[in-house]
Amino acid sequence: MTSSSTSARPGGTVLVTGGAGFIGCAISDALVSEFDRVVVVDNLHPQIHATGQRPEQLNPAAELVVADVTEAKTWDTVLQDVTPDVVIHLAAETGTGQSLEESTRHAHVNVVGTSQLLDGLNRHGKLPRRIVLSSSRAVYGEGAWKDAHGRVFYPGQRTSETLDKAQWDFPDASPVAMKASETFPAPVSVYGATKLAQENVLQAWAKSYGVETVILRLQNVYGPGQSLINPYTGIMSLFCRMAMGGKSIPLYEDGEVRRDFILIDDVASAIVAGAVSPTVQAEPMDIGSGEFQTIGTAAKLIAEHYKAPASHVTGQYRQGDVRHAWADITAAEKVLGWTPKYNLAQGIERLATWIDAQPDVKPA
């Protein structure tokens, strides 16, 4: 399903939930250039915002409302004054491991936070033209694999029994790229399950009211501006802080876990494209670097930057982690006219240079 517009610059008002976070700050400059008014709603959670202060990286022209997206009164207050043409919904709890221990919190923010937003828009009669949702590759779980005969199958979640035996991969099988139009979602973490529910709630609501949706399933986002205090996200920044302290980076499983690391700059351009593109499609699109790297490769590049000891394999594992994940980005390239610009080496250099310049950053 597509729609079109003749305006080169959308103008109007954009409302960004969770807009004072990592991604929200990264898109704020572009949004200020593209829209007449930028309104950000964020609760400045201490897990991300240690001081509780407005982030310096958030464009000064963006209006910040400090409030909780899960509360109806937030939307009654915000929507009295704001009539959004586009909503960018970033607000979410994102820790895969943490979601197993705090499943209620993740479900409340990710699912109820979405439904409260939608109810508020409906209650105040302020339906936007488009809603952009930052979703996650976690909705796929282990994704699709191919057996020795080339047949596609879905292996499901790896068990503690197999992981305890260091059986990391599925026997006689190879993983394939994640592609929304082909890969069936089957999350293996509470976080992934809540993100899939978020997608479904949004699509059911939006189709009923004729609101365009742009759903972007992001791979592993990293880069300058990432929280250096959140223990549940940001493996790349954690690796940098370990190497900064002269430590050998520990690698879970066998170090051959595949991930699609995408620099924040490329994610930001994808989300902005989703907000302003004259053409969209209702089906989700995958956002990644277009290639996979192993965790070991990322650790090696980081160790080299800091002249730290070589990484080492620990054989440990984390429940809810998938073995391999990377994106087929052809849909986003075709529909949004978006392509990533940075490879892993360039991204790590940008991240490490930024971390090195931060005051009071302590090695991990």
Side-chain angles (χ1 to χ4, degrees):
M1 181 175 76
T2 62
S3 64
S4 62
S5 169
T6 57
S7 175
R9 177 182 181 274
T13 297
V14 60
L15 172 65
V16 189
T17 72
F22 179 33
I23 295 176
C25 288
I27 65 176
S28 63
D29 289 347
L31 293 182
V32 166
S33 297
E34 293 284 355
F35 291 89
D36 300 318
R37 186 182 185 191
V38 179
V39 180
V40 168
V41 178
D42 198 298
N43 69 349
L44 300 182
H45 195 285
Q47 186 168 306
I48 305 297
H49 305 276
T51 65
Q53 301 298 310
R54 178 189 176 111
E56 294 182 2
Q57 299 91 339
L58 183 63
N59 188 287
E63 304 169 38
L64 174 61
V65 179
V66 180
D68 190 333
V69 297
T70 67
E71 297 180 357
K73 64 181 181 181
T74 292
W75 302 114
D76 288 338
T77 300
V78 170
L79 296 173
Q80 282 183 357
D81 175 59
V82 178
T83 301
D85 298 283
V86 175
V87 174
I88 300 177
H89 190 29
L90 305 176
E93 293 292 345
T94 60
T96 300
Q98 185 182 24
S99 72
L100 290 172
E101 301 170 355
E102 299 185 43
S103 56
T104 299
R105 174 182 165 190
H106 280 70
H108 187 61
V109 174
N110 297 352
V111 182
V112 176
T114 300
S115 62
Q116 288 282 27
L117 163 65
L118 301 179
D119 284 349
L121 292 168
N122 196 28
R123 189 165 59 247
H124 289 269
K126 294 188 174 182
L127 303 184
R129 173 174 53 85
R130 179 181 300 176
I131 299 179
V132 181
L133 173 66
S134 63
S135 188
S136 170
R137 56 94 176 158
V139 302
Y140 294 115
E142 290 289 348
W145 289 58
K146 287 185 178 180
D147 64 19
H149 303 287
R151 293 177 296 221
V152 173
F153 72 103
Y154 289 82
Q157 186 169 358
R158 295 181 295 171
T159 65
S160 296
E161 181 181 2
T162 58
L163 293 172
D164 285 340
K165 296 177 181 177
Q167 296 176 3
W168 310 124
D169 285 299
F170 298 98
D172 301 317
S174 302
V176 297
M178 294 167 167
K179 186 176 183 180
S181 61
E182 297 179 3
T183 310
F184 184 79
V188 298
S189 67
V190 172
Y191 166 64
T194 63
K195 293 301 287 186
L196 183 59
Q198 191 181 52
E199 290 186 12
N200 291 336
V201 168
L202 173 59
Q203 285 186 313
W205 182 91
K207 288 177 181 178
S208 295
Y209 289 106
V211 175
E212 297 174 347
T213 58
V214 177
I215 297 175
L216 304 177
R217 293 175 174 172
L218 310 181
Q219 293 281 328
N220 285 59
V221 187
Y222 73 102
Q226 194 163 26
S227 174
L228 299 178
I229 64 170
N230 187 351
Y232 296 101
T233 59
I235 188 174
M236 298 290 266
S237 58
L238 176 62
F239 280 2
C240 285
R241 290 169 53 223
M242 286 180 171
M244 177 191 297
K247 294 180 181 178
S248 168
I249 297 170
L251 302 177
Y252 277 23
E253 301 187 19
D254 58 356
E256 295 301 312
V257 172
R258 300 180 189 179
R259 288 293 182 266
D260 188 339
F261 296 106
I262 178 166
L263 188 67
I264 182 60
D265 306 60
D266 286 329
V267 169
S269 65
I271 291 175
V272 173
V276 306
S277 173
T279 59
V280 297
Q281 69 174 31
E283 294 74 25
M285 291 175 279
D286 299 282
I287 301 298
S289 67
E291 61 182 13
F292 66 79
Q293 303 283 351
T294 68
I295 295 289
T297 298
K300 181 175 184 293
L301 290 170
I302 290 171
E304 289 174 349
H305 173 88
Y306 287 102
K307 297 180 173 56
S311 57
H312 64 282
V313 173
T314 68
Q316 294 173 281
Y317 64 86
R318 188 174 68 165
Q319 291 286 0
D321 273 351
V322 301
R323 176 60 173 167
H324 302 304
W326 76 97
D328 182 323
I329 61 175
T330 53
E333 290 176 322
K334 180 180 179 181
V335 175
L336 302 179
W338 167 86
T339 54
K341 296 180 179 179
Y342 296 91
N343 62 32
L344 182 63
Q346 292 169 323
I348 285 175
E349 186 63 28
R350 282 177 57 79
L351 172 63
T353 300
W354 173 77
I355 290 176
D356 294 345
Q358 299 308 299
D360 304 322
V361 173
K362 298 179 180 179

